[in-house]
Structures are given as C-alpha cells and as structure tokens.
Amino acid sequence: MEAFADTIIPGQKRSPDDRAIAGAAEGGGAVAAGALELLRTPATGITAGLGPLAAALNAHAETYAAERGLDLDTDVPAFVALPFEHRSALVAALTTPGHPEKDGWVLLALFSNMAYDSAAHMSTADALDQGHPGLLSMGFAKPDGDGLWRFPRYSYGRVLARPHPSTTASGSPR
Amino acid sequence: MTSSPRTDVVVVGSGFGGAIAAYHLAAGGAKVEVLERGPWLRGTDFDHDYLLGKSYTRVFDFVAGDGMSLLGGNCVGGGSVVYFAALPRAPRFAFERHGSIGRRMWPAAISRDTLDPWYDRVSRVIPVRTQDWSEVTYSGGLWAAACDHAGRTANPVPVGIDAAKCTNCNWMMAGCRFDAKRSLLMNYLPGALAHGATIRPLHEVQKITRTDDGGYRVHYNEVDEVDYRVHTGGGTIDAKIVVLAAGAGATPIILRRSEPELGAMPEAVGRYFSGNGERLNTAVINEDRVREVLGLDRGDGIAYAANQIGKGPVVASWDRLDENLPEYSRFSLEQLYFPPGLGTILAQAATAGGPAWFGVEKKEMLSRWRSWLTIFQMTEDDNEGVFGPPPPTGNAYRISQQMLGRGPLRYDPTPNTLRGWAAADAEVRDILERDGLATVLPWTNDVVGAYTVHPLSSCRIGDDPATSALDDRHELRGHPGIFVTDGAAVPGALTVNPALTIAALAERAMPGIVAAARARGVDVRYGAPLPDDAASSPVTAR
Ligand SMILES: Cc1cc2nc3c(=O)[nH]c(=O)nc-3n(C[C@H](O)[C@H](O)[C@H](O)COP(=O)(O)OP(=O)(O)OC[C@H]3O[C@@H](n4cnc5c(N)ncnc54)[C@H](O)[C@@H]3O)c2cc1C
C-alpha cells in the first residue's frame, strides 16, 4: 500500500534501504503525508478492502513483470519490487477507463492523493502545525489564532476588463 | 398495522426546488413536511477543516457514475449551503435550444422573457447583487485582466453573498462559517418554518406509493448522523401532493424505484441527463509574466500566487454566449476555486507522455498550487446521460461513511458535447497561454469521468410527452399530484450556473402546484408575500 501511495505522490526514501518508497522525488510524498493513516481511517469505507487490494496489486505486479520478462526480487512484495516507472505504468493501466477493477484502484489513488493535498486524516490546522509535507509544499496558508482562515487583502481593487456590452441590468447575460 | 401519519404536502429535499415549494405552500396555509436526507447545520457547525467527518464531508455528496461524477449538497438547504452563490440568469438563446431532439426543447410557455419576472422574485429574496471590481478577488482579477489582454470582455458575476461578512476564506464549499453566503438557510427555509412547515433532516426518501384515497405515501429511511451507510429506522407519511426536489441526481432514482407500485413512469424519467456541459481547466500561472504582461501586483511584490484566497467564481467571460453562434459552440468561462482533495487529483501536469494526474510531475505541479487558476467551462452538452436501475437505497451505493458513493448514471459524451468542450478548451488556451501567461491543462476525465456540480434534466419539463417527464406545470405525466421542482426539471444545459434558473422555475411552478393542491382538497392559497430579506443568521433545528 505504501508503494502504491508513493506512486501517486512520490517522495524521498526514509532510509537508504527503504524499499516501499522508490525515492522518485525530493521531499515527503503521500506516505510521509499519512496515506496509510488515512487509508486505515474507517470513515473512508475502504479499510476492509485494503488486504484484498494489496494481494490483487501484487498479483497484477507479477503478471506485469512476467509479461515483460522482468525479474522480481522475492524478498519484498511483487509491487514493491517493481521499479518506479513500472509501478507507474501498472497503476496507469489499472486506472484506465474500461479496466474491470478501475473503481477500486481509483479510490486508492484518491485517498493517497488526499493524504498529501488535504491531510484528510487530521485537522487541517494541526496538520499545518505539525509540518504536514503536502500542505506545506503546496503553500497552504496558516489560519488565524482561532483556527479560521481570513484573507483581509484579497483584491487588486481596480477595474480590469470591460464588461460584455449586452449585459443586462441584473448583471446577467442578455 | 399502525396508520401512516398524514399531511397535506410532502416535499422531498430542501435545496432550491424544495425550499421554494415548502415556503409557498406553507405560507399559503398547507401543512408541509420536508424530508431531507442530510443533516441540519448552521454557521458555527461549518468547519474550516478537511478532516473526514467535519462539515466538508457531512454536507456533501459525491457520486461516481460511468463517465460522469456528480457533486451536490447533502444537508438542509441542499446545494445552496455548499455552492459558490454565483447567480446569473441564463441567456436568451438557452431557452431556444433544440439539443438532441431536433426541435425546441423548452415548453412553449417558457422563454427568458416569461421567466424574467420569476428571476426577479428570487433575486429579491436571496438577494442577488452585482459585484463591483473592488470586491473581485485576485483570481477573478487575474482572469479579467487576461481576458482583457486577449481582446475579450469579462464580467463580475452576480452573487448571493454578503460582501461585508465575507472573509475570502475560500472554505465556502464546507458551508459558510461567517454567514456571508445567503444560502436557503437564510431566506426561504426560515420563511417556511415560520409558517409552520416541518423539516426532518437525516430522512432519506426511498419510494412513493399510492394511498386508497388517491393520495401518495412517501417511504423513508432514517440515516445515522455520522455513518450515512447506516439506517436507524424508517417510516411513511401520507400526503395529497408530493413535491420531489431531491436534485437531478436523485429525483429520477426515487421515481424509478417507485415504478413497480406507482405504475409506469414517462420514458424521460432518468434520461436526457445533462451535466450542464461542464468542464474544467487548470492553468499554472507564470508569475513573472503576469507581472510583466498584465502589470498585476498584489501590492507586496507578489503578482498573483493567490489560489487559496477568495470566494469561488467572481468573474466570467461571456463573449461566446452569442445567439448567432451555432448550437454546441456557445459557452461561458468562469474563474473558479476548487479546494484540494477531490478537485486537485483531476488536474493534470504537463508531461512528455504517460500519466499526468499522478506521479513526479504532478507533485511538482502541486508545489505551484498557489499559482493555479482554474477555469470552469459551461458548454452545451447533448443530454446524453441515462440512469440505470436504482441502487437498493438512496441514489448510490455508499462507500464512505459520508460523501462518497457509486451511482447508476452512465454518460457517454456525443461528438457534439466533445466539440463544445474542445472549443471551450481552445478558448481558455488562447486567453491564458497568450504571451506565456500560463500553461493550461484540462482536468482528466479518465479518473472519475466528467465531473459536474450542476446536474440537470433527468426528469425534464416539456410539451412533448415523448421527450419530457413533466408538463410545463412540473407535474409528472401520468401521475397527477406528483411535481418535480429541482434541477431535474430544467430541460437542458444553460451555459451558465443554473441555481437561479432552477429557483426561478420553482417560483414559476408554484401557482400551479397550489392550484393542484386546492383541487385535491388542501386549504391553501397562492400569493403570500415573499419571505423577508435574508436573515442575519441561518435557521437551525436547535
Ligand atoms: C461545489 C458546488 C458549487 C456550486 N456553485 C454554484 C454556483 O456558484 N452557482 C450556481 O448556480 N450553482 C452552483 N452549484 C449548483 C447548485 O448548487 C445546484 O444547481 C442546485 O443546488 C440544485 O438545486 P436542486 O434543488 O436541484 O437540488 P439540491 O440543491 O441539490 O437539493 C437537493 C436536496 O435533496 C436532498 N436529497 C437527495 N436525495 C434525497 C432523498 N432520497 N430523500 C430526501 N432528500 C434527498 C439532498 O441532500 C439535497 O439537500 C454548485 C454546486 C456545488 C456542488
């Protein structure tokens, strides 16, 4: 599951011998952002499916490797053994319109992505306080002291275009 | 067997269609029960928080179909609680459209001219106002400046927002914490309550059957307030009139589920679904070029970098809303903010090949998130959506405790729709890629299909019984006493945001529905004054 999440939003390895995280990108990725915590949150509705999905993913990885004559290291699950570009190609295939299992893989991708871009397993203000890698990398602003966001400066404050000539009095198109 | 409670009118759903019907019928003297599947929240319940289980997931419904996913409200107030409150009227030509049936699809009685007085009424109640440029956010300003630079016009969009209260927090999809959004919790719903209507949250209607006296029995499940997959009970209510307003993604499903007992539904129930021709593009803005070419500066040396700041769409380009253009080539373009999560995943990175919605380049694109500008295209689609057999309950197989489900809609865009999307894509590119202002990439339809927040037409009005489910009074053909007043009734894509049109149609339908209720023995009169100007704080159950 870590390897899958890392394929969606890749990150740097936690240690030199990290296998699940392929190390395809700098900085924390979906795994560091808490993808596993999110996937294990009952509110997602997919916790019960994680075991079967992991097993299916490895089976797909074995077939994928066999079709291409790739030799997979058997010390780790088959999907983890796949190099990053092959993990990506397999995930692309599994989520392609028409793939019979697409729904399940899209859900997994959705939650992996959400761990990174919205930290849906934690309160957003806490996530920012704790240095959540996704929200910080995106530049998500910090809230005010009461945990709410306000942007007192929000406008260039000047006319920037001509309105459409046939705009009606209600401000709508004719 | 215990007898079923009775009332005059059951309204299903409390969004635009439901709230307006509930107000006028209650104000006219009828006994009205509103059954709403979602919870009942107010200002302080609306969190700034993406944590699952906060208001974001409580008030939303996201249903993935085949080729089209629907996002809508799931709470008292319906879509009005989660929407962006952009409230333009539909252009004149939208009512003259032929669409896929080869002749005018709207009823002869309805045109922009005949609807304008009804638009006026809703606009007074919400109230709708035009914005001035000083209120236009950085993203709206950037879009306007880019349009102007490309020789186009751009308009501040009429909205239902109290500018004095708005903090430009951009959390408005989670419900407005600051009571700045004039949702239905501020006007029609408090009006309905003041006249004695009852609103029952967490009551999901499943089907309608007939009673011996020629009325209808509405069957519902009670839904757990945390885990919407769990039903905590159920029951029925009998009524002389039923107003269905569960939204275009749910109303036809309730009717189809009712078919075995109610009898055959018109062919058009659950057909001709339109996503309002919706499509999105994400532009990654080149900050330097924005400063150099457009001369924009926030005052602190930053040119834009303001994706998170604002309040949904504030500026639109209406240049292609031209009645002289052929059908399927007309569209509007509106700048928009979609928060992270469901929206962000669909934005695609520019890659040399291979998948663009995930991976290394996508992560790089996310690191420039503050410089995103999302453009929302509303085109003329072909009403090609069709609902399959209803799921066991509600309108979807629920996956998550809240928000996420899998529904029976199939949407396979026709060449007409695809052409409209392509023309809109090209226009966005022409405006935003000009002089290196941005790199524009469409959202991918590969992940969850096309994506609409404006579901329409699944149960539409019309004069032709073969292609419309409702007559021009919104009565379900062959089932007198059942009315549909939500987005399902709108015949086709509008090329602009639809809520004001849905609301105007509901207002227009009311005299007829009141007359029908009277004919069925309900002591009700039409003509109550409109509900008071927006309340300063929303109504709640507490
Ligand atoms: C994020 C977002 C932004 C939007 N922004 C804009 C905008 O700026 N401008 C605009 O014009 N439009 C906007 N819209 C669209 C607008 O909200 C809808 O067009 C409008 O709310 C539709 O009104 P309706 O009455 O058809 O249905 P809704 O408002 O969706 O109301 C239907 C209600 O029925 C309830 N319901 C469903 N099934 C059942 C059942 N079985 N039993 C009981 N209740 C049920 C739902 O929970 C909901 O409350 C936006 C929508 C979204 C999601």
Side-chain angles (χ1 to χ4, degrees):
Chain A
M1 286 298 105
E2 285 192 340
F4 184 94
D6 183 62
T7 309
I8 301 303
I9 309 268
Q12 70 195 30
K13 286 182 180 291
R14 291 161 289 196
S15 65
D17 53 0
D18 197 343
R19 296 291 302 270
I21 295 185
E26 296 290 300
V31 175
L36 269 286
E37 288 91 316
L38 178 56
L39 290 172
R40 292 196 189 112
T41 304
T44 59
I46 65 166
T47 43
L50 291 179
L53 278 169
L57 186 61
N58 286 320
H60 283 301
E62 276 166 23
T63 312
Y64 177 95
E67 281 168 6
R68 285 159 188 78
L70 301 173
D71 246 351
L72 292 188
D73 177 356
T74 52
D75 293 350
V76 289
F79 187 74
V80 175
L82 279 182
F84 185 76
E85 68 271 24
H86 291 297
R87 292 183 188 178
S88 301
L90 178 54
V91 170
L94 295 174
T95 53
T96 295
H99 191 285
E101 298 162 16
K102 177 181 176 238
D103 279 6
W105 303 116
V106 162
L107 264 182
L108 211 53
L110 205 64
F111 284 117
S112 303
N113 185 78
M114 278 168 73
Y116 184 83
D117 79 0
S118 48
H121 56 299
M122 329 174 53
S123 266
T124 309
D126 293 346
L128 284 164
D129 269 352
Q130 293 169 28
H132 184 268
L135 293 177
L136 285 195
S137 152
M138 286 163 59
F140 207 83
K142 293 241 174 181
D144 290 346
D146 61 357
L148 301 176
W149 276 258
R150 294 172 187 83
F151 294 99
R153 292 174 64 180
Y154 59 89
S155 176
Y156 298 110
R158 58 188 167 95
V159 177
L160 289 161
R162 288 165 302 125
H164 195 274
S166 48
T167 306
T168 61
S170 67
S172 290
R174 195 182 81 88
Chain B
M1 205 181 120
T2 53
S3 71
S4 182
R6 286 163 179 277
T7 188
D8 292 334
V9 183
V10 166
V11 175
V12 183
S14 58
F16 286 93
I20 290 173
Y23 174 74
H24 285 288
L25 286 155
K31 230 177 128 222
V32 177
E33 299 261 358
V34 181
L35 302 183
E36 164 57 53
R37 143 191 94 169
W40 196 347
L41 306 186
R42 64 168 161 188
T44 50
D45 297 325
F46 297 129
D47 310 295
H48 286 188
D49 204 334
Y50 295 124
L51 176 64
L52 298 183
K54 297 302 209 144
S55 66
Y56 233 111
T57 53
R58 292 174 76 190
V59 299
F60 255 126
D61 197 48
F62 179 83
V63 177
D66 279 330
M68 174 72 79
S69 294
L70 269 55
L71 187 62
N74 176 71
C75 55
V76 173
S80 80
V81 172
V82 302
Y83 84 152
F84 293 127
L87 291 165
R89 301 179 186 204
R92 188 165 304 268
F93 70 76
F95 299 92
E96 308 304 323
R97 289 194 58 204
H98 286 199
S100 56
I101 59 174
R103 78 194 103 86
R104 193 174 188 271
M105 59 168 119
W106 283 78
I110 303 178
S111 66
R112 169 68 183 268
D113 285 336
T114 61
L115 205 56
D116 260 331
W118 304 103
Y119 275 129
D120 289 342
R121 285 168 71 84
V122 180
S123 301
R124 278 207 299 280
V125 176
I126 287 190
V128 181
R129 39 172 215 98
T130 54
Q131 305 174 92
D132 78 54
W133 286 97
S134 69
E135 298 166 55
V136 163
T137 57
Y138 295 123
S139 32
L142 171 59
W143 173 236
C147 287
D148 186 62
H149 178 68
R152 312 304 209 274
T153 65
N155 281 61
V157 178
V159 291
I161 297 172
D162 181 344
K165 290 185 177 173
C166 178
T167 69
N168 291 284
C169 70
N170 245 339
W171 284 91
M172 71 194 292
M173 279 172 69
C176 182
R177 174 73 176 212
F178 303 109
D179 294 338
K181 173 156 52 178
R182 308 289 207 173
S183 74
L184 297 165
L185 295 172
M186 305 284 220
N187 36 66
Y188 285 101
L189 289 174
L193 289 173
H195 287 286
T198 308
I199 301 178
R200 300 188 191 283
L202 299 168
H203 280 56
E204 185 176 71
V205 170
Q206 306 304 335
K207 63 174 183 180
I208 303 167
T209 56
R210 235 177 264 284
T211 56
D212 295 338
D213 60 0
Y216 293 99
R217 178 161 296 170
V218 179
H219 302 247
Y220 61 84
N221 290 345
E222 286 165 56
V223 178
D224 181 76
E225 67 171 326
V226 173
D227 190 342
Y228 299 164
R229 297 170 301 186
V230 175
H231 296 149
T232 56
T236 60
I237 305 181
D238 292 356
K240 292 174 176 148
I241 293 267
V242 177
V243 179
L244 273 174
T251 286
I253 296 179
I254 295 170
L255 289 174
R256 283 273 186 86
R257 193 181 289 119
S258 308
E259 193 159 19
E261 284 153 291
L262 272 189
M265 287 295 142
E267 174 78 1
V269 170
R271 289 177 198 279
Y272 300 109
F273 173 90
S274 161
N276 203 30
E278 223 169 278
R279 180 164 171 74
L280 290 119
N281 277 267
T282 302
V284 180
I285 298 296
N286 180 328
E287 296 283 340
D288 292 337
R289 297 302 286 158
V290 164
R291 189 179 300 105
E292 292 156 16
V293 176
L294 302 180
L296 292 183
D297 186 321
R298 281 165 42 177
D300 51 8
I302 300 173
Y304 166 59
N307 186 39
Q308 192 185 341
I309 303 172
K311 49 178 172 263
V314 292
V315 169
S317 155
W318 292 334
D319 291 324
R320 298 297 173 118
L321 298 187
D322 180 345
E323 61 200 347
N324 300 312
L325 292 171
E327 195 163 352
Y328 302 109
S329 68
R330 301 169 296 199
F331 51 82
S332 68
L333 304 174
E334 204 168 80
Q335 136 285 332
L336 176 65
Y337 170 79
F338 243 102
L342 278 177
T344 311
I345 194 172
L346 302 176
Q348 302 200 84
T351 62
W357 59 272
F358 67 87
V360 177
E361 290 92 344
K362 176 63 182 289
K363 186 184 182 194
E364 167 64 23
M365 180 181 175
L366 282 168
S367 73
R368 301 182 60 199
W369 178 74
R370 274 184 297 188
S371 294
W372 288 18
L373 180 67
T374 299
I375 304 298
F376 186 46
Q377 307 156 204
M378 286 164 273
T379 70
E380 296 170 297
D381 72 356
D382 230 348
N383 291 77
E384 52 267 72
V386 178
F387 285 87
T393 61
N395 56 317
Y397 296 90
R398 279 198 180 277
I399 297 167
S400 299
Q401 288 185 354
Q402 298 166 5
M403 195 161 84
L404 221 56
R406 186 77 170 81
L409 177 64
R410 274 175 292 125
Y411 189 88
D412 185 10
T414 66
N416 284 335
T417 300
L418 292 171
R419 224 168 349 104
W421 285 347
D425 283 359
E427 175 83 352
V428 173
R429 275 221 157 89
D430 185 46
I431 294 170
L432 285 176
E433 293 196 336
R434 192 176 285 251
D435 296 320
L437 289 174
T439 308
V440 178
L441 285 143
W443 279 19
T444 178
N445 285 353
D446 287 353
V447 182
V448 291
Y451 185 8
T452 188
V453 297
H454 295 161
L456 297 172
S457 309
S458 51
C459 219
R460 63 191 191 177
I461 48 173
D463 292 332
D464 173 10
T467 58
S468 61
L470 315 171
D471 64 23
D472 72 357
R473 294 156 49 252
H474 294 244
E475 194 164 34
L476 182 67
R477 294 180 186 283
H479 302 272
I482 297 181
F483 292 84
V484 175
T485 54
D486 58 16
V490 177
L494 298 169
T495 68
V496 295
N497 325 63
L500 195 68
T501 302
I502 295 169
L505 286 172
E507 275 280 355
R508 178 189 168 276
M510 290 320 302
I513 296 178
V514 167
R518 285 179 69 83
R520 292 177 154 255
V522 179
D523 182 15
V524 57
R525 242 161 296 278
Y526 179 74
L530 288 170
D532 286 340
D533 272 2
S536 59
S537 61
V539 284
T540 56
R542 280 151 287 170

